[in-house]
Amino acid sequence: MPFPLPNRFISKIEEVLNDWKLIGISSGKPLEKGVYTTGAWEEKSDEISFADFKFSITHHYLVQEPSDKDGKEELVEDALPLPMQDLLCMNNDFPPRAHCLVRWYGLREFVVIAPAANNDAVLSESKCNLLLSSISIALGNTGCQVPLFVQIHHKWRRMYVGEYQGPGVRTDFEMVHLRKVPNQYTHLSGLLDIFKSKIGCPLTPLPPVSMAIRLTYVLQDWQQYFWPQQPPDIDALVGGEVGGLEFGKLPFGACEDPISELHLATTWPHLTEGIIVDNDVYSDLDPIQAPQWSVRVRKADNPQCLLGDFLTEFFKLCRRKESTDEILGRSAFEEEGKEVADITHALSKLTEPAPVPIHKLSVSNMVHSAKKKIRKHRGVDESPLNNEVLNTILLFLFPDAADKLADGFESRTSTSAGNNPPPENEDYNLFSQFKSAPSDSLTYKLALCLCMINFYHGGVKGVAHLWQEFVLEMRYRWENNYLIPGLANGPPDLRCCLLHQKLQMLNCCIERKKARDEGKKGSVFDRSPGGTCGDTGRGADHSGDNPDKEKEVGKSWESWSDSEEEFFECLSDTEDLKGNGQENGKKGGAKEGNKEPVNIKPEGRLHPHGKLTLLHPGEPLYIPITQEPAPMTEDLLEEQSEVLAKLGTSAEGAHLRARMQSACLLSDMESFKAANPGCCLEDFVRWYSPRDYIEEEVVDEKGNIVIKGELSARMKIPSNMWVEAWETAKPVPARRQKRLFDDTREAEKVLHYLAVQKPADLARHLLPCIIHAAVLKVKEEEAIEDISSVKKIIKQIISHSSKVLRFPSPEDKKLEEIIAQIMSVEAIIARARSLKAKFGVEKCENEEEKEDLQRFVNCLLEQPEVSVLGAGRGPAGSIIHKLFVSAQRLTESSDEVSAAPPLDEEPRRPGSSEERRLQAGAVSDFPPPTGREVILRTSVPRPAPYSKPLPQRMYSVLTREDFRLAGAFSADTTFF
């Protein structure tokens, strides 16, 4: 070429082709049927420039296993090159999912040069010719035997021209794209005419033309009874008949048909010219008679699904900024005059030390009067939640409240105390992965109720109203010693969300306060290494033979205290209280030394520690009754860690940090000293930290082997915290020690924390519970349908959620991804149900047919296109035929509908389509085809009669707004 720029462009193309090793004869085996759909396609790209115009060059190819017969294949004379074999191959016509050039030309490998930017285009004819000449020269120079295409015109038109060069052969790829189709090309005879004229075969009797034809019919008008999902009845929510909508359960399913269209492709894969007639007057192409049927479904874009809507709306709460007061109105809480003074007085009485039992304070009266004021200010009509809905929710959350109304105080406390042990299964334990709450817990139920309130009963105002009532209920239960139902016993579970931990903490406070106010001891759990919960009842056996045991029985609970401080009373049971009565006569410790004086009476014993005895007196070593450690929520643990970290690394800071951490240790040492008079530090270590007491066998003076023990190296460090605490500790039993856990203060902290939560904070806390519930719901629904692809997606959701939700403040984007995944699963299951209903899977009586239909529906969900067994005469084909007939009937007048035979019989009558075709003005079973695709193939000598016969191919597609011809015409270049 005369210009320098095209030469650089050509050399760049040659360089890329060499780098990709596309030089020389390409080898491969004949393609198997359907491999273009099931096989893996790959591509690699580079960028080249023509002057300042950038192009991308991309190599598309089907990944194939290397053939073992490459050497033998090269020896076969007159064998067609692979691209030409692909032009004639009929195994992969009309692939459902492939590059457009694969569908049009049937190629397994090709290279495309296209403008790099989406808005760039090669529009002028001279530039198109220049590009085509450039690729022709590049192919000739390199000997590349892979077809090379150039994209011209605007990208949306998908216009390509290209060329292939082989040994003595060349194929030109040409294309025509029109908006309006000429009438003569709307049928087969017109397309044959243009194909033959384009070939220009010099032979008088033309070789036969092979034809593959596909007509595509679209069914859009699904009838209403084919869609099974009914919208939930919101009005029946409180009345009892809630159907798919119920407190404690999330709804599921699409509100609209998630399948928008069904595309039926009727295919004649191998016809010879002259066998059928298809012109502007008459056509033999009856879809019922087509030998192959295949179906694909078009899914509705983002169908409205109930579960997805619930999740999305609840997630929107996380972005709200208003507080509960701002949403419900500050006036709801504002009172004037004496009532304000009463409340202040009550709160001050709550926080100041006083011998009056806490349950006698007027805080509960204050709360109930505040409730009345709230309702008085807001008015019944203004309340976001009406009383009926609110009472239904509160009874669902607090079932023991109904028992109280019927049976009084005792029933309420008894039903709320303990919970059944949690079931050990994978679904139940999801809460620990998601950091949510157990599925039978109050927190989980609260999340579901708030989610439903947010969607159906007032949005954020309803959420704020219910939360306000919930906090008031928590206050009421704290004031009146009612345990909170739906929470596991014991300290806060750090595997759960923070809100659940706070409620557990409040329950711990109520339990401690209740035990103290009733003058009874609650359950004692020995957290020491030697004790278990089952040991608690045995504490009385070791002190029950005390002669003075009755002295202590009449003593008031307050008399245990020798100051204004309140003390923790930790007794195994009432008999233990009696048995240890004598021990209270002698209080106070003796002078601290290496061991305690033995004349002190033992107090607070639980049970002996096996066969261990004290080192010096030789008496049995008793495990003491100890205080339970203060329960902690994760935010308190973080606070404590920060305080300890701020003390720094200096010696003084380290010492102070150790003292702060040793409060529990000191308490246990005092309990141990009280239970074991005359003990020493070694005795305590043997019980408390056995690894720090090292025993070894030694030979004594008499030659006997004896066991000698000593403290570990860390215990021998001068002035270490254990030694210092031991010297400080006095023999004081747990019941007379200062409480490690101030339940009053902690309860008020929790109640304040709950009261200041905004709806957005609440939504953030409870979102893991909602995601947990949604995952359980989709698992439950999937189990009914049994869709393998959905099982995999659910596993991915669980894995993804467990990684995201473990962090304290997950990113909104990641949360949105999880919700989108759950919505996609819901849509897939809804589509499965829609298709099962449309194809009458459940109504089918023949078991074999039912299994075939079920398999067919599952394939429709997972594959881009599914073949119909038996075409129009199989079970699925008959149903599809019936669906089209029903849709066609709807488009005709009522007279024609009434004159037509019954629907159930019509598709199954043999020859019925032919009979209807003969009736003048009869209703057609199928609408006009939406798409007509034709592939014409032949092998003819070109350009001369003595040339080698080479493949010629033309693909045509005709739709309502589009007409395209894609031709591949080969010529012998040996003598030309």
Side-chain angles (χ1 to χ4, degrees):
M1 293 190 63
F3 306 107
L5 285 176
N7 288 334
R8 291 183 193 173
F9 181 64
I10 293 165
S11 65
K12 186 62 179 172
I13 295 174
E14 294 173 5
E15 185 184 328
V16 172
L17 294 177
N18 274 293
D19 288 346
W20 289 345
K21 298 179 181 176
L22 300 180
I23 311 304
I25 299 172
S26 53
S27 60
K29 52 188 177 183
L31 295 170
E32 296 176 3
K33 190 170 183 64
V35 71
Y36 281 177
T37 305
T38 58
W41 286 86
E42 290 186 3
E43 60 181 64
K44 44 190 173 186
S45 296
D46 205 342
E47 198 170 86
I48 55 177
S49 298
F50 189 107
D52 56 350
F53 196 95
K54 293 189 182 302
F55 287 91
S56 66
I57 179 168
T58 308
H59 177 212
H60 300 264
Y61 58 98
L62 177 70
V63 179
Q64 291 179 280
E65 295 177 4
S67 173
D68 297 332
K69 300 179 181 179
D70 290 351
K72 294 179 182 177
E73 286 175 359
E74 290 176 16
L75 299 175
V76 179
E77 290 187 11
D78 297 331
L80 286 174
L82 278 182
M84 288 191 170
Q85 291 179 33
D86 292 346
L87 292 177
L88 290 179
C89 179
M90 295 183 178
N91 286 338
N92 290 284
D93 290 343
F94 315 114
R97 188 163 52 196
H99 191 283
C100 58
L101 290 174
V102 177
R103 190 177 184 88
W104 297 338
Y105 296 115
L107 299 170
R108 73 181 80 181
E109 184 178 24
F110 52 92
V111 175
V112 177
I113 297 175
N118 284 328
N119 52 356
D120 286 344
V122 180
L123 299 175
S124 69
E125 189 176 350
S126 59
K127 286 182 180 177
C128 293
N129 290 335
L130 189 60
L131 281 173
L132 204 52
S133 302
S134 300
I135 66 168
S136 182
I137 293 169
L139 288 173
N141 290 345
T142 57
C144 173
Q145 293 196 20
V146 175
L148 191 53
F149 291 88
V150 176
Q151 185 168 10
I152 57 175
H153 294 287
H154 295 289
K155 287 203 171 184
W156 63 266
R157 295 189 65 183
R158 296 192 297 174
M159 286 280 289
Y160 297 88
V161 291
E163 188 173 312
Y164 162 74
Q165 292 183 16
V169 294
R170 187 185 77 246
T171 302
D172 294 313
F173 298 94
E174 304 171 15
M175 199 168 290
V176 173
H177 181 225
L178 302 173
R179 279 300 186 121
K180 189 174 181 182
V181 57
N183 288 332
Q184 64 268 32
Y185 302 139
T186 57
H187 44 76
L188 187 58
S189 58
L191 293 173
L192 279 168
D193 290 342
I194 192 174
F195 182 56
K196 290 175 182 176
S197 66
K198 184 66 182 173
I199 292 171
C201 179
L203 300 179
T204 43
L206 276 174
V209 176
S210 169
M211 302 179 293
I213 301 171
R214 169 173 284 207
L215 304 183
T216 301
Y217 299 89
V218 176
L219 179 65
Q220 292 176 313
D221 192 5
W222 299 104
Q223 298 207 21
Q224 180 61 37
Y225 65 86
F226 287 131
W227 174 230
Q229 179 82 28
Q230 293 298 321
D233 184 4
I234 309 305
D235 296 331
L237 176 64
V238 181
E241 292 189 14
V242 291
L245 192 62
E246 190 177 338
F247 286 121
K249 292 184 180 178
L250 289 173
F252 189 88
C255 295
E256 56 185 323
D257 197 335
I259 304 292
S260 60
E261 293 178 354
L262 180 140
H263 293 202
L264 169 65
T266 57
T267 307
W268 291 261
H270 188 34
L271 294 173
T272 308
E273 181 187 2
I275 289 181
I276 62 163
V277 176
D278 180 48
N279 54 37
D280 54 354
V281 178
Y282 176 81
S283 175
D284 283 331
L285 299 175
D286 180 5
I288 294 294
Q289 305 301 326
Q292 289 181 8
W293 275 22
S294 56
V295 173
R296 66 167 69 200
V297 290
R298 184 175 175 188
K299 299 150 188 170
D301 297 329
N302 303 318
Q304 184 188 358
C305 293
L306 291 171
L307 180 61
D309 287 352
F310 263 56
L311 290 174
T312 306
E313 290 301 315
F314 192 77
F315 182 64
K316 287 179 183 175
L317 276 182
C318 298
R319 298 197 174 105
R320 299 296 291 254
K321 304 293 183 187
E322 310 95 322
S323 68
T324 305
D325 291 358
E326 290 167 346
I327 291 166
L328 297 177
R330 288 188 179 279
S331 61
F333 295 99
E334 288 173 4
E335 299 297 338
E336 293 178 3
K338 185 174 177 293
E339 291 167 343
V340 176
D342 286 346
I343 291 173
T344 311
H345 182 56
L347 288 173
S348 64
K349 285 178 76 175
L350 180 70
T351 53
E352 69 185 14
V356 184
I358 295 176
H359 68 274
K360 293 180 183 176
L361 296 177
S362 58
V363 175
S364 59
N365 298 333
M366 173 272 291
V367 170
H368 287 299
S369 66
K371 266 189 174 180
K372 290 175 186 174
K373 303 291 187 266
I374 289 168
R375 294 192 179 108
K376 186 175 75 178
H377 275 268
R378 197 162 53 208
V380 178
D381 297 334
E382 296 173 23
S383 295
L385 295 177
N386 65 56
N387 283 337
E388 198 174 3
V389 173
L390 183 61
N391 289 337
T392 305
I393 297 171
L394 291 176
L395 284 175
F396 169 71
L397 293 175
F398 306 103
D400 58 330
D403 300 332
K404 179 192 180 271
L405 293 175
D407 304 328
F409 177 84
E410 291 301 326
S411 291
R412 181 161 188 164
T413 53
S414 62
T415 56
S416 59
N419 290 314
N420 295 327
E424 293 297 327
N425 62 53
E426 184 185 347
D427 286 351
Y428 185 86
N429 290 325
L430 268 181
F431 76 89
S432 61
Q433 296 182 50
F434 288 3
K435 203 168 175 61
S436 57
S439 54
D440 55 357
S441 67
L442 173 66
T443 316
Y444 186 93
K445 292 177 181 177
L446 174 66
L448 294 178
C449 289
L450 288 171
C451 192
M452 189 164 290
I453 291 299
N454 178 57
F455 198 80
Y456 285 123
H457 296 281
V460 69
K461 283 192 174 183
V463 168
H465 185 187
L466 176 57
W467 179 242
Q468 184 189 78
E469 294 288 341
F470 183 87
V471 174
L472 289 173
E473 176 71 17
M474 292 299 101
R475 166 71 70 179
Y476 178 78
R477 284 175 177 269
W478 159 245
E479 292 298 330
N480 292 277
N481 293 347
Y482 293 136
L483 286 169
I484 305 166
L487 299 175
N489 293 328
D493 188 345
L494 301 181
R495 298 174 299 169
C496 300
C497 64
L498 183 57
L499 188 66
H500 187 79
Q501 294 177 40
K502 292 289 184 184
L503 295 178
Q504 282 185 302
M505 173 69 93
L506 185 59
N507 230 14
C508 289
C509 297
I510 294 171
E511 196 171 354
R512 301 280 179 95
K513 175 172 173 283
K514 181 182 168 189
R516 189 173 64 256
D517 287 355
E518 291 177 3
K520 295 176 183 176
K521 184 186 118 352
S523 298
V524 175
F525 296 94
D526 181 14
R527 57 182 176 76
S528 56
T532 62
C533 298
D535 297 322
T536 328
R538 294 205 296 272
D541 298 342
H542 304 287
S543 51
D545 51 356
N546 242 310
D548 303 325
K549 61 183 179 183
E550 295 176 3
K551 291 181 184 176
E552 192 68 11
V553 177
K555 242 181 172 182
S556 70
W557 206 250
E558 285 75 20
S559 67
W560 292 95
S561 174
D562 54 2
S563 71
E564 286 191 352
E565 292 284 347
E566 291 192 60
F567 288 83
F568 184 92
E569 300 77 34
C570 188
L571 300 175
S572 60
D573 53 23
T574 312
E575 289 165 23
D576 192 46
L577 169 62
K578 297 175 187 175
N580 282 322
Q582 61 157 17
E583 302 159 10
N584 216 31
K586 296 183 179 181
K587 291 186 181 179
K591 184 179 178 183
E592 294 296 320
N594 193 32
K595 58 183 181 178
E596 296 299 320
V598 289
N599 59 349
I600 297 177
K601 297 293 182 185
E603 295 184 83
R605 287 178 170 178
L606 186 60
H607 62 82
H609 189 301
K611 296 180 181 179
L612 280 185
T613 58
L614 299 178
L615 291 175
H616 297 293
E619 293 182 6
L621 187 151
Y622 280 85
I623 292 174
I625 295 169
T626 56
Q627 288 198 54
E628 288 185 57
M632 301 275 274
T633 56
E634 64 183 29
D635 59 334
L636 293 177
L637 286 170
E638 284 174 21
E639 248 177 67
Q640 191 182 63
S641 300
E642 285 177 16
V643 170
L644 295 174
K646 285 177 183 175
L647 293 174
T649 55
S650 65
E652 186 181 350
H655 186 73
L656 187 56
R657 181 163 46 246
R659 286 187 66 85
M660 288 174 66
Q661 291 175 310
S662 65
C664 195
L665 176 67
L666 182 64
S667 166
D668 292 342
M669 283 181 171
E670 291 186 337
S671 299
F672 187 83
K673 280 188 175 184
N676 297 282
C679 62
C680 59
L681 178 59
E682 284 84 350
D683 293 320
F684 179 76
V685 170
R686 286 161 68 211
W687 163 64
Y688 205 82
S689 179
R691 286 181 298 180
D692 281 309
Y693 189 75
I694 302 163
E695 293 183 332
E696 57 182 357
E697 293 180 350
V698 295
V699 181
D700 64 3
E701 300 150 355
K702 297 178 182 180
N704 298 324
I705 296 175
V706 294
I707 296 173
K708 184 183 178 185
E710 61 178 354
L711 293 174
S712 65
R714 78 179 184 119
M715 290 292 178
K716 292 179 180 178
I717 298 171
S719 301
N720 75 74
M721 186 48 59
W722 285 64
V723 174
E724 190 176 306
W726 182 258
E727 290 171 355
T728 310
K730 294 174 180 162
V732 182
R735 63 171 181 259
R736 295 212 315 272
Q737 294 173 10
K738 182 178 179 181
R739 281 188 289 164
L740 291 176
F741 177 58
D742 188 344
D743 50 70
T744 308
R745 184 182 63 188
E746 292 302 327
E748 287 301 328
K749 282 168 68 175
V750 170
L751 290 168
H752 174 73
Y753 178 86
L754 298 178
V756 299
Q757 293 298 299
K758 297 178 181 179
D761 302 328
L762 195 56
R764 290 269 178 199
H765 283 306
L766 295 177
L767 191 61
C769 294
I770 296 298
I771 291 173
H772 178 185
V775 168
L776 291 183
K777 186 67 178 176
V778 295
K779 284 189 81 170
E780 175 191 331
E781 300 292 335
E782 186 280 326
I784 300 169
E785 304 302 327
D786 192 23
I787 309 167
S788 57
S789 62
V790 172
K791 283 187 174 71
K792 293 177 185 173
I793 301 173
I794 290 173
K795 285 182 180 176
Q796 292 170 4
I797 293 172
I798 291 173
S799 174
H800 187 197
S801 302
S802 60
K803 291 173 186 173
V804 171
L805 298 175
R806 295 302 300 168
F807 293 98
S809 301
E811 296 176 20
D812 283 4
K813 187 179 178 183
K814 291 181 177 177
L815 292 170
E816 285 168 353
E817 286 172 5
I818 294 170
I819 292 171
Q821 283 180 306
I822 294 171
M823 290 169 70
S824 72
V825 169
E826 183 183 21
I828 292 170
I829 295 173
R831 289 183 196 117
R833 289 179 176 168
S834 174
L835 289 170
K836 280 174 76 172
K838 288 172 173 59
F839 285 94
V841 174
E842 299 302 329
K843 296 177 184 176
C844 187
E845 296 176 0
N846 186 319
E847 281 300 319
E848 192 176 340
E849 282 189 11
K850 186 174 182 178
E851 286 180 15
D852 289 344
L853 285 174
Q854 181 66 58
R855 205 176 300 116
F856 177 72
V857 166
N858 289 344
C859 290
L860 275 178
L861 290 169
E862 297 175 7
Q863 298 174 16
E865 192 170 280
V866 182
S867 295
V868 180
L869 293 175
R873 295 170 183 80
S878 300
I879 292 169
I880 293 166
H881 184 191
K882 179 181 173 181
L883 292 173
F884 273 100
V885 171
S886 301
Q888 281 298 98
R889 294 268 177 100
L890 288 175
T891 61
E892 302 297 329
S893 65
S894 58
D895 294 339
E896 290 172 324
V897 171
S898 60
L903 290 182
D904 290 337
E905 300 171 9
E906 187 173 353
R908 299 181 181 273
R909 282 210 322 270
S912 61
S913 63
E914 294 297 329
E915 291 169 14
R916 283 192 301 278
R917 193 178 287 280
L918 296 173
Q919 296 172 3
V923 181
S924 172
D925 286 4
F926 291 87
T930 307
R932 294 172 65 98
E933 294 174 272
V934 178
I935 299 175
L936 304 177
R937 300 181 183 89
T938 190
S939 288
V940 297
R942 287 182 74 221
Y946 52 82
S947 298
K948 184 179 176 181
L950 294 173
Q952 319 294 325
R953 171 183 170 126
M954 187 178 80
Y955 170 90
S956 162
V957 58
L958 168 66
T959 62
R960 290 172 187 169
E961 299 178 350
D962 197 60
F963 175 67
R964 187 184 301 274
L965 292 176
F969 305 106
S970 307
D972 187 348
T973 59
T974 305
F975 302 108
F976 299 94

